[in-house]
Amino acid sequence: MIKREDIEKREYELLSPQACKAAESKGREFYEAKCEFRTDFQRDRDRIIHSKAFRRLIHKTQVFLAPEGDHYRTRLTHTLEVAQVSRTVARILAYNEDLTEAIALGHDLGHTPFGHVGEAVLNKIHPGGFTHNEQSLRTVDRIEDTSRRRGLNLTYEVRDGILNHRGLGVPVTLEGQIVKICDRIAYVNHDIDDAIRSGVISWEDLPPAEINILGSTHSDRINNLIVDLCNNSEGRDTICLSEEFATALSNLRSFLFVNVYNSNEVRNTSDLSKVELIITSLYNHFMDNPDEIPGIYKEIMETDGVHIAVKDLISGMTDRYALNLYDELFVPKRWRQL
């Protein structure tokens, strides 16, 4: 039988001196007795997987709004791909896989319905703006709960990695830095895959210079980026790609913004206006009718204010829930039956 103390001891024997050890975690905001068998990072991973916000990711858009077919990524499959790539890198570099996995699984819990389009709308209409990384941290700190208290009470290192997986912030752990880069590695490559499958672009459209560096297939690019990241990061106090690979990945990302994310097929005027109408209408409805705010969000309204409660409510919705609720609130019943 392997107990928590055995796992913590093995981390010192097997992991890099630079790895974050579970026994050295800065801990949780609220005291909890240690688990007999799991480290604190393993418990964090399990709490995230069993959370309601994690389950909802399956019905949240990644890039393509209401795609036809079963093979396009959702926010959940993106999260799982980030976790897989991140764990592979952590294993190669002998860093803490449990911490890496927990950060990766939690990094997008605060994402809005309708992907980045929905995020942009909520950022525009909510006072103070909106970013999904800050909302992801708020989700685990305030909105989700355990059997004992409001919030998942995650460790400092996992919370920091979730908050700083995007933007200018640098995660305090190397495991968090791994997730930050692997998030980009994952979405750049799987968005190419989805864009080609949908016909938005073809393989021949991909920039040849970057493809020659990174690889001509999805699996080759993922593998080559992992190899470069590990070779370039070993023994260093930061996680980074080589200059050649970092530039190629950045250029490929820029190509996607021009030819996929901002293409007529993905961000056509009709879809954008519909998303903005749905989110804005729902937001304004609950601002005008705070008595209709449900459950935990009513508690948040009483402590943090109605704007925060409505923002939390809207950002937690899945695509289909937002659509159905909009129909229920704003479309006459007889029209829905036509």
Side-chain angles (χ1 to χ4, degrees):
M1 183 178 293
I2 300 174
K3 296 194 173 185
R4 173 182 51 81
E5 292 91 341
D6 301 319
I7 299 173
E8 292 175 343
K9 181 179 179 181
R10 287 182 182 180
E11 288 185 350
Y12 287 97
E13 297 171 351
L14 298 175
L15 299 186
S16 164
Q18 296 169 292
C20 182
K21 314 301 191 299
E24 297 176 4
S25 170
K26 292 184 179 180
R28 310 180 187 278
E29 181 179 1
F30 303 103
Y31 170 79
E32 293 183 25
K34 298 287 186 179
C35 177
E36 183 178 2
F37 298 104
R38 294 172 296 162
T39 69
D40 284 350
F41 297 150
Q42 290 174 332
R43 294 180 79 186
D44 284 359
R45 174 202 61 204
D46 296 346
R47 288 179 183 183
I48 290 169
I49 289 175
H50 289 279
S51 69
K52 296 181 291 294
F54 185 79
R55 294 195 295 274
R56 289 196 298 268
L57 293 177
I58 194 171
H59 295 299
K60 291 194 176 189
T61 289
Q62 173 64 22
V63 172
F64 293 90
L65 297 175
E68 295 182 5
D70 297 329
H71 301 292
Y72 294 94
R73 270 75 174 188
T74 65
R75 189 61 54 182
L76 177 61
T77 55
H78 161 71
T79 295
L80 295 176
E81 290 185 35
V82 174
Q84 180 270 315
V85 176
S86 299
R87 282 198 62 176
T88 298
V89 172
R91 182 177 300 150
I92 294 171
L93 293 174
Y95 292 148
N96 196 312
E97 287 186 55
D98 296 323
L99 171 57
T100 304
E101 185 179 29
I103 295 170
L105 292 174
H107 82 281
D108 268 358
L109 291 180
H111 233 298
T112 60
F114 311 115
H116 291 289
V117 177
E119 181 175 16
V121 174
L122 196 52
N123 180 55
K124 182 170 71 172
I125 65 177
H126 178 67
F130 177 91
T131 61
H132 76 267
N133 56 312
E134 293 179 351
Q135 189 65 24
S136 294
L137 181 61
R138 180 169 174 80
T139 298
V140 299
D141 279 354
R142 182 72 176 88
I143 301 173
E144 286 291 329
D145 58 10
T146 65
S147 59
R148 294 184 179 88
R149 62 174 59 88
R150 180 60 54 188
L152 298 182
N153 198 29
L154 303 181
T155 57
Y156 169 82
E157 294 79 10
V158 172
R159 296 176 63 254
D160 169 84
I162 290 174
L163 176 63
N164 292 304
H165 83 269
R166 69 179 295 273
L168 299 178
V170 179
V172 297
T173 65
L174 293 175
E175 289 82 359
Q177 293 181 34
I178 287 173
V179 174
K180 186 165 190 171
I181 295 180
C182 290
D183 180 32
R184 177 169 294 191
I185 289 174
Y187 77 69
V188 166
N189 284 286
H190 66 51
D191 289 353
I192 288 175
D193 190 40
D194 280 355
I196 291 175
R197 178 176 292 108
S198 69
V200 173
I201 59 173
S202 66
W203 187 89
E204 290 77 14
D205 295 325
L206 297 175
E210 284 67 33
I211 294 303
N212 287 338
I213 293 171
L214 300 178
S216 59
T217 69
H218 177 82
S219 59
D220 283 346
R221 287 190 295 273
I222 294 289
N223 179 75
N224 293 338
L225 282 160
I226 288 174
V227 170
D228 181 86
L229 183 62
C230 293
N231 285 335
N232 201 60
S233 302
E234 184 179 15
R236 300 180 62 175
D237 58 1
T238 187
I239 303 296
C240 58
L241 292 162
S242 67
E243 183 176 351
E244 179 185 34
F245 271 67
T247 300
L249 183 63
S250 179
N251 290 343
L252 199 53
R253 179 174 178 267
S254 297
F255 166 85
L256 287 175
F257 270 94
V258 173
N259 296 278
V260 177
Y261 305 143
N262 293 318
S263 68
N264 290 333
E265 292 86 348
V266 175
R267 293 172 61 93
N268 64 71
T269 302
S270 176
D271 280 341
L272 284 175
S273 63
K274 290 175 183 176
V275 169
E276 183 161 10
L277 175 64
I278 291 169
I279 291 182
T280 302
S281 298
L282 292 175
Y283 188 93
N284 291 337
H285 173 80
F286 286 108
M287 287 298 303
D288 294 337
N289 301 276
D291 56 306
E292 296 182 20
I293 295 175
I296 171 60
Y297 304 105
K298 187 160 291 186
E299 297 177 25
I300 291 173
M301 178 179 65
E302 294 171 355
T303 57
D304 301 342
V306 63
H307 279 96
I308 300 298
V310 173
K311 178 261 298 180
D312 289 347
L313 171 62
I314 300 297
S315 66
M317 293 179 180
T318 63
D319 295 19
R320 66 180 184 181
Y321 181 85
L323 286 167
N324 291 337
L325 184 59
Y326 177 86
D327 282 349
E328 180 181 331
L329 292 174
F330 301 107
V331 178
K333 186 176 181 180
R334 63 181 180 276
W335 292 5
R336 284 180 266 145
Q337 294 173 341
L338 293 178

